[in-house]
Amino acid sequence: ITAMAAGRAHSAAVTDLGEVFTFGSNEEGQLGLGDLERRLAPSPVAALGRGGSDVQVCEVVCGGAFTVVLTDLRNIYVWGQLSRGGEPSLINSTPRPMESLIGAGV
């Protein structure tokens, strides 16, 4: 494990191969597993790939009901309860690239 983070009721870990595993509450899709089912044991976030074959994650941050990762190519992926200001919440249970930051040199 090279990085770990904890949110209000979920946690995430990054392996030395750049894989992400999540567990805990998943009411808002914050585990990134494509559903809203709670997990008691760490589960791989398959949408990011296995063994670093697709996306190699180097950092992870968990919020109250969302997760954010940074890849080795400096791309950011987000999932869970996403909202801005007074906008309605958007629940996304699978990782999506944060398009607004692509090429921003994060």
Side-chain angles (χ1 to χ4, degrees), residues 6-7 17 23 36 39 74 83 87 89 103 106:
L17 295 176
F23 58 98
L36 303 178
R39 302 294 198 294
R74 313 313 287 171
S83 63
E87 295 178 14
S89 292
V106 176

Side-chain angles (χ1 to χ4, degrees), residues 2-26:
T2 59
M4 282 196 77
R8 180 178 58 234
H10 78 291
S11 298
V14 179
T15 70
D16 58 346
L17 295 176
E19 295 176 294
V20 178
F21 286 77
T22 57
F23 58 98
S25 177
N26 195 28

Side-chain angles (χ1 to χ4, degrees), residues 73-97:
L73 298 177
R74 313 313 287 171
N75 292 319
I76 295 174
Y77 288 79
V78 297
W79 60 89
Q81 182 183 30
L82 310 172
S83 63
R84 293 185 296 205
E87 295 178 14
S89 292
L90 170 66
I91 294 175
N92 190 30
S93 63
T94 57
R96 345 173 113 156

Side-chain angles (χ1 to χ4, degrees), residues 24-45:
S25 177
N26 195 28
E27 296 164 354
E28 308 292 339
Q30 62 264 46
L31 299 184
L33 304 174
D35 59 39
L36 303 178
E37 300 295 319
R38 178 179 171 196
R39 302 294 198 294
L40 298 178
S43 299
V45 180

